[in-house]
Amino acid sequence: MQKIELMAPAGNFESLQAALDNGADSVYFGVEQLNMRARASINFTLDDLSEISRRCKAKNVRTYLTLNTIIYDHDLSIIKTLVNKAKEVDVTAVIAMDQAVIACAREVGMEVHISTQINITNIETVKFYAMFADTMVLSRELSLRQVKHITAAIEKEKIKGPSGKLVEIEVFGHGALCMAVSGKCYMSLHSQNSSANRGACKQNCRKKYTVIDQETGFEMELDNEYIMSPKDLCTIDILDQVVDAGIKVLKIEGRGRAPEYVASVIKCYRDAIDSLEHHTYSKERVVSWMKELEKVYNRGFWNGYYLGQKLGEWSEGSGSHATQKKVYIGKGVHFYTKAKIGEFKIDAYDIAIGDTILITGPTTGAKEMEIKDMLVNDEKLNKAIKGDSVTLPVDFKIRPSDKLYKIVENKEEG
C-alpha cells in the first residue's frame, strides 16, 4: 500500500513544534488575516515565515501557506507581499481558492494547491485546475468511491500539473466538519456580519435552536437539538480504505486547536499510516488510537461522507467531548543541562508524584509525561502547591516561555 503524506495544522509555534516532533510530513498555516482561521488570535505574522521555513527544512517537512479566503481589491497588495515573502524564504506552496492568489503565486514560480473552498467534485474540474496547481483538495462531501474514480482517472489520463508530475489528490482525514458544503457558509455573515469566507466565522451553527412554523406556531421536534453541528471527522478506523482510494495527502484539521491536540492527533495518524506500510494495521490498534484521540478536543466522531451516508451525524452538545483536560499549574524557570532537570514555579493548584503533566512552549511544542520524582523547594516531597519551586527530571530543554499543566479527567465533557 502506498505511503501518503500526513499534513498537520499549525496555528502557532507551539503547535508547529508539536507537529514536527510527532511525525508530520508537511504543515499548513495562516499569516495575518487572509486565511480561513483569521479570527483566531494565534495566527503567524509575516516576520514568522522565515522561522517556520527554517524549522521545517531542518526536519525535511514541507510548508504550505494558506491564502484561501475570498479576496477583495484592497487585499491585493498584501497578497503580493505575502506571496513574495513566502517565495523568498522558500515556503513550499500556497493553498488558494481565488484566481488572484493563484495567478500571483504562479507569477513568482510558487507551487499552488487548490483549497477545498473551490469544491472540486469531478475529473473535468481537476483537468481545469491542473493548468495552475499540482495538488487539489477535494470536496469534503465526496464518498471514497467518488474519490477513487477521480484518482484513477488522473492515473489513466496522465493529468499533470505545472511541475510536470501527476496531479496529487488531498482529502481531510480528521477534525471539525461544517454543516455547509466544504465550509462555504454565510450564516455567520448574515447573522453577525462576520464572514466565514473571510476566516471570521462565529460558529453560531454550533448552538441550540428551536424551529417554529411562523404560520401555525408549531414547534418541530428534532431528534438532536444541535442539528447544525456535525460530529468531528475521524478516518483512523477506515484509513486503509482512504489510502486505497488513491489519495496522496491526508490533511488534519485544527489550526485553532491547542498544541496537545496537534501532538496527539498527528502521533496517532503517524502510527496508523506507518502501520499500513508495515502491514500491522489492526482493529486492536484502532481501538488504542481512538482512546488517545478521545482525550483531546472533539465533538464526537464519525466517518463523514466517505462511506456514503446520506445524512450527517450531529454532536450532542456545544462543547468538547474530550475525556481529558489540562489545568494550568505554573511556568518554566530554568533548565539544568548536565543534570537534565527542569525548574518550574507553581502559580496555581498543585501537582504530585504520579500526576500526568503537559509542558508547552513555542520551542518545546507539547510534551506529556508522568511525574515519577521531584524536588519541592529543594526537598524530596510527594506534592507541590501554589508558590513552590519544583524541579523535575526531563529529557528536553525547559524555557521561561514554557507553561506547565496537569492533565485531569474531564468530568464535564460535552
Side-chain angles (χ1 to χ4, degrees), residues 105-146:
R106 294 305 304 149
E107 282 176 9
V108 299
M110 281 202 73
E111 183 179 325
V112 172
H113 293 188
I114 297 299
S115 169
T116 189
Q117 297 294 112
I118 289 291
N119 194 33
I120 295 176
T121 57
N122 61 74
I123 191 61
E124 292 302 323
T125 305
V126 170
K127 289 178 183 178
F128 173 79
Y129 282 105
M131 292 187 289
F132 318 105
D134 294 291
T135 301
M136 302 178 198
V137 190
L138 296 183
S139 167
R140 301 185 198 191
E141 292 72 37
L142 294 182
S143 68
L144 289 180
R145 190 161 83 174
Q146 290 171 310

Side-chain angles (χ1 to χ4, degrees), residues 78-236:
I78 186 63
I79 285 293
K80 291 181 180 178
T81 299
L82 288 171
V83 171
N84 286 337
K85 182 64 174 181
K87 176 67 175 179
E88 177 189 325
V89 301
D90 206 20
V91 168
T92 307
V94 170
I95 302 174
M97 65 163 284
D98 193 288
Q99 288 293 337
V101 180
I102 294 171
C104 184
R106 294 305 304 149
E107 282 176 9
V108 299
M110 281 202 73
E111 183 179 325
V112 172
H113 293 188
I114 297 299
S115 169
T116 189
Q117 297 294 112
I118 289 291
N119 194 33
I120 295 176
T121 57
N122 61 74
I123 191 61
E124 292 302 323
T125 305
V126 170
K127 289 178 183 178
F128 173 79
Y129 282 105
M131 292 187 289
F132 318 105
D134 294 291
T135 301
M136 302 178 198
V137 190
L138 296 183
S139 167
R140 301 185 198 191
E141 292 72 37
L142 294 182
S143 68
L144 289 180
R145 190 161 83 174
Q146 290 171 310
V147 172
K148 192 167 186 174
H149 183 272
I150 290 172
T151 60
I154 291 171
E155 292 281 347
K156 182 179 179 180
E157 300 181 38
K158 305 299 180 189
I159 302 170
K160 297 178 181 178
S163 67
K165 298 178 183 177
L166 291 182
V167 167
E168 294 189 341
I169 291 301
E170 174 186 323
V171 299
F172 279 86
H174 191 93
L177 280 176
C178 178
M179 63 167 287
V181 175
S182 284
K184 300 202 76 170
C185 177
Y186 289 89
M187 185 176 184
S188 179
L189 175 65
H190 290 319
S191 63
Q192 295 180 268
N193 197 30
S194 188
S195 176
N197 299 292
R198 293 280 288 176
C201 181
K202 295 289 188 181
Q203 295 202 347
N204 41 336
C205 57
R206 302 291 185 183
K207 301 176 181 178
K208 284 185 179 181
Y209 287 91
T210 300
V211 181
I212 300 174
D213 186 325
Q214 291 292 325
E215 292 185 5
T216 66
F218 175 74
E219 183 175 323
M220 291 180 65
E221 295 182 5
L222 303 176
D223 290 334
N224 191 300
E225 293 171 314
Y226 293 88
I227 194 65
M228 292 186 289
S229 180
K231 290 181 179 179
D232 286 357
L233 174 66
C234 179
T235 62
I236 206 160

Side-chain angles (χ1 to χ4, degrees), residues 242-253:
V242 174
V243 175
D244 186 59
I247 62 124
K248 294 293 192 294
V249 185
L250 189 76
K251 185 173 191 172
I252 305 300
E253 188 276 340

Side-chain angles (χ1 to χ4, degrees), residues 29-39 43 65-76 78-79 82 94-102 113-118 183-184 186 195-201 255:
F29 48 89
V31 171
E32 309 293 353
Q33 296 299 305
L34 295 178
N35 68 92
M36 293 303 288
R37 292 295 180 271
R39 195 168 65 90
N43 277 306
L65 172 63
T66 58
L67 292 172
N68 59 344
T69 62
I70 290 175
I71 302 298
Y72 296 117
D73 283 327
H74 65 264
D75 298 318
L76 295 176
I78 186 63
I79 285 293
L82 288 171
V94 170
I95 302 174
M97 65 163 284
D98 193 288
Q99 288 293 337
V101 180
I102 294 171
H113 293 188
I114 297 299
S115 169
T116 189
Q117 297 294 112
I118 289 291
K184 300 202 76 170
Y186 289 89
S195 176
N197 299 292
R198 293 280 288 176
C201 181
R255 280 185 290 139

Side-chain angles (χ1 to χ4, degrees), residues 19-20 23 33 42 57 64 68 149 168 177 293 295 306 316 325 330 357 375:
L20 297 178
Q33 296 299 305
I42 53 176
K57 278 185 177 181
Y64 306 134
N68 59 344
H149 183 272
E168 294 189 341
L177 280 176
L293 293 172
K295 291 179 180 179
Y306 287 136
E316 298 172 355
K325 65 179 181 179
I357 58 173
L375 292 180

